[in-house]
Amino acid sequence: MKVMKGIILGSAAMFVGAGAQAADLPVKAKAIEYVKICSLYGAGFYYIPGTDTCIKLGGYLRADAVLGSSSDFDAPSSGAPGAQNRLSNYYETLARQDLKIDTRTATEYGVVRTFYEGVFTWRTGTYSGAGTTGVNGATSYTTSTAAQVAGGSLGVYYAFIQFAGFTLGKAESQFRTPWAQYPANNFELPGSGWDPVNQVTYTADFGQGITASFSAQDQVQNYTTNVWNVSGATAAGLATGAYGANDIGGSRAPDLVAMLRVDQAWGLFQASVAAHDNHAAYYGADETTGHPGDKWGWAGQLAVSIKNLPTGAGDSINLTGVYANGASRYVFQDYMSTTFAMYGGSGAAGAYQSLGIAGVADTVFVTGKGQELTTSYGFNGGYTHNWDPYWNTSIFGAWAAVRYNGTAKGYVCGAFVANLALSSGAGGCNPDFNYAVVGTKTAWTPVKNLTFTGELAYLMLDQKYAGGSTVTMPLQSGIAKPAAVYELKDQNSLVLLLRAQRNF
């Protein structure tokens, strides 16, 4: 036993000695870089290790449920939602993860900034009719993107560089106000829109909160509604509010935007103006058919925000007014539809149902003639009152109008008579319309950056076809509407939005 004990102790001593000798060898330790707070640009910024660039990560996770619509933030104003039948969703759901990446580096020319914001979204789809003579009652699932059921969709909101007063890339339009179509709400309202757009912008800072921006921005999609060739109107298109064949040509010039803003402790004042080139394609199927000449439209906007109201700490009022001629997207922003077909009940003799039809265009024309610019205008506004640090309530509203000139009305009404057998009551045919929304929102923030919201919005579509007017509609299998006579009549809808959102 004593021999065994000696062997064990001797072996242990050998290992300890070997370990001590190994520890004595010179070894170069790896450098350790700790993430350091960057206090130059506000809370939340950190230095990227090994660089002098500061980075901030943020975003939100949102869950929505919308009752009374098949759209996340919009009214049931067209397609299956507007049909108000068994194909219309009684509710819509959405889940979204937003990620923001903000980097800033101090240089001899000033701060170089990059900003990216992207979202991963999953939302409920809708069903449309696929019924034909041989297959009755069939439906198909429709979504805004492929593989929506399992995969969702990726959206890129912002992706821009700022340097020496210039902004390059996808950023908010310099025309829009800080609140855009959301003066005190989440529901979509008319007015200069939020959706960012590719641009080249120079911003001059005069101090005292006064800035001016001059911008050339992409007009395609975000800032174009429709350029209708009414000669190409069809019964199927007119039934959805499309007053002709959409005949937008390739881009020739960006939208030119100028903005002046005064941002003070009391609030904000802003004036914006934009010029928009309307470039149509061809009258017919090929180059030999000819085309109308380009026509420039424009839009102007005035906006004011008033803060620190005597009604309560943090209370605010936001107001925006917009006027456009040949640039309707600056009034009917791109989250809104530009064609409306809303169905309802009817008491008119011989009518199957009632229908509100409306359409928004930048211009309209017929084969062989020039473009006729469309006039649109409107406002939005909202008031927010804070009951305490946890609860606030707002009221909001918007009103917008579309007006076609006499020549354009003749084109559109001729298409209605020829394709839908329009029968006008006293006062005749008039494609002008008004669009209005009123609503209220209440939000509860039980803990910082977690908010639960309930929002109620009421939409009114005020079409101007004379009382007693009817149209004879073709079969619309996509929304299960039969070929029948429909009374043209004003329509409305009520939508409830419920939201939970966690910001970080």
Side-chain angles (χ1 to χ4, degrees), residues 46-283:
Y46 295 87
Y47 283 101
I48 298 175
T51 75
D52 57 356
T53 296
C54 300
I55 186 169
K56 180 180 181 179
L57 302 178
Y60 62 81
L61 196 146
R62 172 186 297 170
D64 284 353
V66 182
L67 281 67
S69 180
S70 299
S71 178
D72 306 324
F73 316 112
D74 203 1
S77 57
S78 61
Q84 297 296 312
N85 59 17
R86 295 185 66 84
L87 296 178
S88 307
N89 287 352
Y90 280 5
Y91 68 92
E92 164 89 1
T93 61
L94 172 146
R96 171 172 292 167
Q97 174 65 68
D98 176 280
L99 175 63
K100 302 173 185 176
I101 305 173
D102 191 347
T103 73
R104 307 190 193 191
T105 307
T107 75
E108 57 186 301
Y109 299 100
V111 176
V112 176
R113 182 191 184 197
T114 68
F115 186 84
Y116 166 84
E117 183 177 358
V119 291
F120 296 93
T121 303
W122 187 92
R123 56 167 56 86
T124 305
T126 59
Y127 285 88
S128 62
T132 64
T133 303
V135 183
N136 295 310
T139 62
S140 62
Y141 187 75
T142 59
T143 60
S144 58
T145 57
Q148 187 87 329
V149 176
S153 61
L154 169 66
V156 177
Y157 285 167
Y158 295 93
F160 63 81
I161 299 170
Q162 288 181 323
F163 174 67
F166 287 92
T167 299
L168 310 170
K170 191 178 184 187
E172 62 187 42
S173 170
Q174 303 306 310
F175 188 90
R176 59 152 278 185
T177 64
W179 56 89
Q181 68 264 39
Y182 308 115
N185 56 287
N186 298 311
F187 191 83
E188 296 301 326
L189 301 180
S192 62
W194 165 84
D195 209 12
V197 60
N198 284 343
Q199 63 189 266
V200 177
T201 296
Y202 178 74
T203 300
D205 189 340
F206 301 104
Q208 306 298 317
I210 302 174
T211 58
S213 295
F214 305 91
S215 179
Q217 68 179 36
D218 187 6
Q219 64 159 264
V220 177
Q221 196 63 40
N222 283 33
Y223 285 91
T224 300
T225 57
N226 299 292
V227 176
W228 278 325
N229 182 348
V230 183
S231 295
T234 64
L238 290 168
T240 66
Y243 291 167
N246 212 348
D247 204 6
I248 302 172
S251 58
R252 287 297 180 271
D255 282 13
L256 304 176
V257 178
M259 180 270 287
L260 175 67
R261 181 178 296 175
V262 179
D263 199 339
Q264 306 285 341
W266 58 265
L268 175 147
F269 170 79
Q270 179 177 320
S272 307
V273 64
H276 174 80
D277 178 38
N278 292 290
H279 178 76
Y282 297 99
Y283 290 129

